[in-house]
Amino acid sequence: TRTPVNVTVTGAAGQIGYALLFRIASGHLLGADVPVKLRLLEIPQGLKAAEGTAMELDDCAFPLLKGIDITDDPNVGFAGANVALLVGARPRTKGMERGDLLSANGGIFKPQGKAINDNAADDIKVLVVGNPANTNALIAQAAAPDVPAERFTAMTRLDHNRAISQLAAKTGAAVSDIKRLTIWGNHSATQYPDIFHAEIAGKNAAETVNDEAWLADTFIPTVAKRGAAIIEARGASSAASAANAAIDHVHTWVNGTAEGDWTSMGIPSDGSYGVPEGLISSFPVTTKDGRYEIVQGLDINEFSRARIDASVKELAEERDAVRGLGLI
Ligand code: NAI
């Protein structure tokens, strides 16, 4: 029998945590034959609710779930972790400036990065979900000098999945027929969902759509503002779809992309496509054997270049701000 994989989830008592933990425990994160041990990391105020969720996890009698620990100590929470899902973050509250938001999150992600550095397993893989996800990932990565930088990733898979869904609705295609879509840049309103290299049932998506006004005025803003539209409709933020995207991100990272397809992940740039090295930016990637590679050699047209550059500029500004605050 396989040794269980240790999966740490921060913010376990939150909305996304509640939608995420049951799917991890039922085998959707890593595979239907991979046993897991869960470690739930919360702040003291969240511990009781996390215990309630753990009771429900017990009550599911998941065959793959080999244990649940709950803690408010990052050193305990990340001890031996093979996969860490950093979901807990400080949301922007009314009147909060960007600097306040970045420093509040620095206070979370810097110590968590250090605790990962000091305690996690050698093969640790980190996904940051908590916003601002790319820059929080950068802060955690900078605090973990002994962990290879490429193990720190930020979630743009929800944007990727939203874009596939919008494109399927526009063209009448099945979501499973859409391949090679890319989210570039930051998980924010400046993100750029790119269909110029995407395919719909083997045909170029941009040529199939053949409507640049729809791209610029409908598709891109609909994908970028989908989070706000969900809040408006549901009265609460998107939690189940975010949890689903976190599952997809890690599952693809561990188990590989399909032949001929790729996915989108926020990863430390190696300088590809003019994105300054070290920024955690979303790229098209293929994955295999637990490693990812940026898809190289794509032609970037003017329409795409301007939008990628704008989102990357925002990431550089966030990096400069956290550098100014001494967080990296
Ligand atoms: P929530 O507010 O329901 O839950 C957050 C949980 O994190 C709370 O239980 C809180 O006690 C906990 N927490 C706060 N600080 C912590 C710390 N230092 N250590 C451990 N736990 C801590 O929020 P929700 O809806 O679950 O969202 C979580 C984050 O995910 C938010 O930052 C949200 O903006 C982000 N998000 C990111 C998406 C993406 O696509 N990257 C999509 C949707 C949400």
Side-chain angles (χ1 to χ4, degrees), residues 9 25 28 38 61 77 84-85 110 119 153 194 196 202 235 248 293 301 309 322 324 326:
V9 178
H28 289 90
L38 280 172
L85 303 172
K110 194 174 177 181
N119 301 282
T153 66
D194 177 359
F196 286 99
D248 283 352
E293 266 178 44
N301 62 19
D309 288 350
V322 295

Side-chain angles (χ1 to χ4, degrees), residues 2-9 21 24-27 29-30 34-41 57 62-70 76-85:
R2 292 182 64 159
T3 21
V5 175
N6 293 323
V7 180
T8 302
V9 178
L21 291 165
I24 299 173
S26 62
L29 186 75
L30 299 166
V34 186
V36 292
K37 278 191 173 171
L38 280 172
R39 213 161 279 136
L40 316 186
L41 180 64
L57 284 162
F62 288 122
L64 292 172
L65 182 57
K66 302 301 178 189
I68 310 172
D69 293 321
I70 303 168
V76 175
F78 293 114
N82 306 106
V83 176
L85 303 172

Side-chain angles (χ1 to χ4, degrees), residues 67-145:
I68 310 172
D69 293 321
I70 303 168
T71 181
D72 61 2
D73 178 349
N75 287 317
V76 175
F78 293 114
N82 306 106
V83 176
L85 303 172
L86 309 189
V87 179
R90 177 70 204 276
R92 191 189 284 259
T93 40
K94 225 177 162 194
M96 207 176 192
E97 299 291 332
R98 188 178 65 169
D100 303 332
L101 180 74
L102 292 172
S103 65
N105 279 291
I108 295 173
F109 287 87
K110 194 174 177 181
Q112 288 185 357
K114 175 148 190 356
I116 288 169
N117 189 68
D118 297 348
N119 301 282
D122 286 345
D123 67 347
I124 179 70
K125 288 181 166 62
V126 181
L127 168 61
V128 176
V129 175
N131 281 319
N134 300 55
T135 297
N136 288 342
L138 180 68
I139 293 168
Q141 182 264 311

Side-chain angles (χ1 to χ4, degrees), residues 65-272:
L65 182 57
K66 302 301 178 189
I68 310 172
D69 293 321
I70 303 168
T71 181
D72 61 2
D73 178 349
N75 287 317
V76 175
F78 293 114
N82 306 106
V83 176
L85 303 172
L86 309 189
V87 179
R90 177 70 204 276
R92 191 189 284 259
T93 40
K94 225 177 162 194
M96 207 176 192
E97 299 291 332
R98 188 178 65 169
D100 303 332
L101 180 74
L102 292 172
S103 65
N105 279 291
I108 295 173
F109 287 87
K110 194 174 177 181
Q112 288 185 357
K114 175 148 190 356
I116 288 169
N117 189 68
D118 297 348
N119 301 282
D122 286 345
D123 67 347
I124 179 70
K125 288 181 166 62
V126 181
L127 168 61
V128 176
V129 175
N131 281 319
N134 300 55
T135 297
N136 288 342
L138 180 68
I139 293 168
Q141 182 264 311
D146 303 330
V147 178
E150 75 263 14
R151 306 287 187 75
F152 285 84
T153 66
M155 189 165 96
T156 53
R157 185 63 175 266
L158 180 54
D159 310 305
H160 181 96
N161 289 345
R162 285 168 171 166
I164 288 178
S165 165
Q166 291 300 322
L167 190 55
K170 165 77 174 170
T171 59
V175 286
S176 53
D177 281 337
I178 297 178
K179 312 264 187 255
R180 302 188 174 205
L181 190 127
T182 306
I183 303 293
W184 297 92
N186 200 1
H187 169 70
S188 76
T190 67
Q191 65 172 270
Y192 172 50
D194 177 359
I195 71 164
F196 286 99
H197 306 283
E199 289 178 358
I200 304 175
K203 293 204 184 77
N204 182 274
E207 285 166 20
T208 304
V209 169
N210 193 25
D211 186 349
E212 200 167 293
W214 176 78
L215 264 193
D217 304 332
T218 304
F219 175 71
I220 295 171
T222 300
V223 174
K225 294 180 193 158
R226 187 73 167 175
I230 304 270
I231 292 175
E232 173 66 27
R234 204 173 87 86
S237 63
S238 44
S241 52
N244 177 69
I247 295 274
D248 283 352
H249 177 114
V250 174
H251 190 275
T252 302
W253 189 357
V254 170
N255 294 298
T257 40
E259 189 61 40
D261 200 3
W262 65 61
T263 190
S264 304
M265 289 169 70
I267 57 171
S269 176
D270 62 358
S272 293

